Amino acid sequence: MATLDVRPRLLDALSALRDRVDATRFPLPLPGAARARRSRAELLAQLDDYVVPRLSAPEAPLLAVIGGSTGAGKSTLVNSLVGRRVTEAGVLRPTTRTPVLVCHPEDRHWFSGRRVLPHLTRVWMPVQDGPQGSGHEAYGAPYDDPYGMRDGRAGGGAGLGLRPGPRDGPGRGSGLGLGLGGDGAAGAYPARGLHGEYGGYTDGAGHGRYAGGYADYDDYPGLGGIGAAGSRAADYVPDEPYDALVDSLRLETDPALPRGLALLDAPDIDSLVTENRELAARLICAADIWVLVTTATRYADAVPWHLLRTAKEYDVTLITVLDRVPHQVAVEVARKYATLLEEAGLGGVPRFTIPELPESAGGGSGLLPASAVAALRDWLARRAEDPVARAAAAARTAEGAVAALRTQVPALASAAAAQHSAAVRVAQRVVDAYARAEERALREIAQGAPLAGDALTHWHCYPRDVAPGALLDALASSLATLLTCVVSAADAQIDLASQRDPAAEATLPPRDAAGVAGRAGVAARHWRRCVEELAEEEASVAERATPPDPDAVAALAVTGLLGGRRARAAGEALADMLGVHGALRLRERGGRLLEECVRRVLDAEQERLLAPLDALDIAAEQQADLIAALSVLRKEHPHAAAWPPARHASERRER
């Protein structure tokens, strides 16, 4: 089965897989996490920029991305293939510039929208070397032109294009066109927004005088009149130089390119600017054909070969250009380069050699002689003009990308499983430590540990020299100290068990002894007030001639709850004041509140430790969702790794 003969269910499966990949996160600094994040970004770029757009529109033009190292001559090569300067060949290194895409005018609508490379803003620039008297078209503003205006450039032509219909749906807009210069007469007509994505389209004939005749244009947004001596006008000319624009793609059109082919001049794959390298990698992922440009002095560098190995992994349609080869060593360099390709399993990749010429330096016109690029141009033209070769080139790259998912997605799933496992390990370590802390706290309270130190001194002096309030203060402080010590011990256990654990180091917050003491003190005082309220309630219903003092009842109750066996006298005195049933009732209710107080303090500290980990939202379903989505894709496309033998043989013959 060929991928381009795709059923809607395959696109649905790819879209579902894309959503699962997008939802996957690798926040923990585990071994392999950085690679997983890069793989995730590359996979999303491959799906968004190439696989889904190509399978959705198999008839779209081929996109050949010209990529390579700094100074390899990519821009000069693109200019020479087009026949005029459409992109600036940089002199200073590293070169930082906006990528340039050039296509035939009738193919412009394929790239003016967001079909491919949706993250890049389209920028329209004037022709740099517009021929005089060529009668180039003057197009109207694109749908995303915020001003709805464009200026004529280069030659005698000028154009005015008003903004067409809304982008996101049908609607009316104006597409008034005006052509000036030479013998051109003005033509004007309305435009209607038939397709929201591409703006207004003409719904009738727009007549502009062209070389003595009339021409009708029915399928271009805001098409204006044509001047015989005019040149193409820019749809959107920014105030700042286009090289300074960020996240943008400059579009150029030229009738010299065959229909069905677009060239994209990408940034350097080894640029010192990180954003440039990332953009270059993403542009290459959007290509039907990878054109790797290297030079006689750099063909053995590591970066281009990493790109070649990636191309082999994806089984893409790949060609290589050995540029700037001195005549004296041309045969030897070509032989060594061919040997390296054979050893890498890429011996069948088409190779083109371009000699070192004065035009290669970039200081001249930036155009190589037509004969120097004729073989490469013919190879690309055959792929664009021959329907079988064109389908084979696009289908092979699409097949390779889909087949690569079989290894990429399981690797992501494995990394996602490692993330979840590490998160569970860290969380379980904290939960276990605080479970032991709770057992310890309740055990020590039952043994009377809080009735020690200052609290014990106050109890020995009660009631002769110590008031109930002072005893309650000392007991609440002692309870807070116990809870603080228990939390500190649990944190120490967690720290010891988390040594050399990158997940714990990245997520667990630092210890906060002062904060723990403050929070424990607040909880202990709150429990004390609750017991005082219970004591007041029990004192009010005590069957005694003289109602007992609620403060004294509370002091005895708290002492009995925190003192263990050492506070047996407090329990006896409380029974005398409230009666046996009242004393038992108060002790039971106060004991439940004490356990709740301990658990509330420890739970709050546990949640504080786990909050950063919980915020990462490392779901257990990530691995299962990825594998399930891949399984659905395999059912819809069971032979992704298989390529029709006849098509492979055809490509080998053409090479």
Side-chain angles (χ1 to χ4, degrees), residues 78 341 371 434 445 516:
V78 172
L341 289 172
S371 58
Y434 273 86
I445 289 174
V516 172

Side-chain angles (χ1 to χ4, degrees), residues 480-541:
T481 300
L482 172 63
L483 294 177
T484 301
C485 292
V486 168
V487 170
S488 179
D491 291 346
Q493 294 175 12
I494 294 169
D495 290 344
L496 181 62
S498 300
Q499 290 180 354
R500 295 183 296 278
D501 185 344
E505 293 175 358
T507 57
L508 293 181
R511 296 172 68 174
D512 180 21
V516 172
R519 291 186 289 272
V522 171
R525 289 191 294 273
H526 175 73
W527 172 73
R528 167 198 164 174
R529 288 194 295 272
C530 291
V531 174
E532 287 177 327
E533 292 175 0
L534 294 177
E536 184 176 359
E537 180 181 337
E538 291 295 339
S540 65
V541 298

Side-chain angles (χ1 to χ4, degrees), residues 14 25 46 49 59 80 142 153 212 281 300-301 327 337 413 427 449 453 493 535 601 622:
L14 283 169
R25 295 291 183 270
Q46 188 79 13
D49 296 344
E59 73 282 6
S80 303
R153 293 288 199 279
D301 287 359
H327 291 281
Y337 189 45
Q493 294 175 12
V601 169
Q622 288 187 155

Side-chain angles (χ1 to χ4, degrees), residues 197-219:
E197 183 176 0
Y198 298 112
Y201 280 64
T202 62
D203 60 350
H207 300 291
R209 190 172 298 278
Y210 180 77
Y214 286 88
D216 294 346
Y217 295 88
D218 298 328
D219 56 357

Side-chain angles (χ1 to χ4, degrees), residues 25 99 212 269 279 287 294 423 465 506 647:
R25 295 291 183 270
I269 59 175
L279 177 57
T294 187
D465 299 324
R647 185 172 295 169

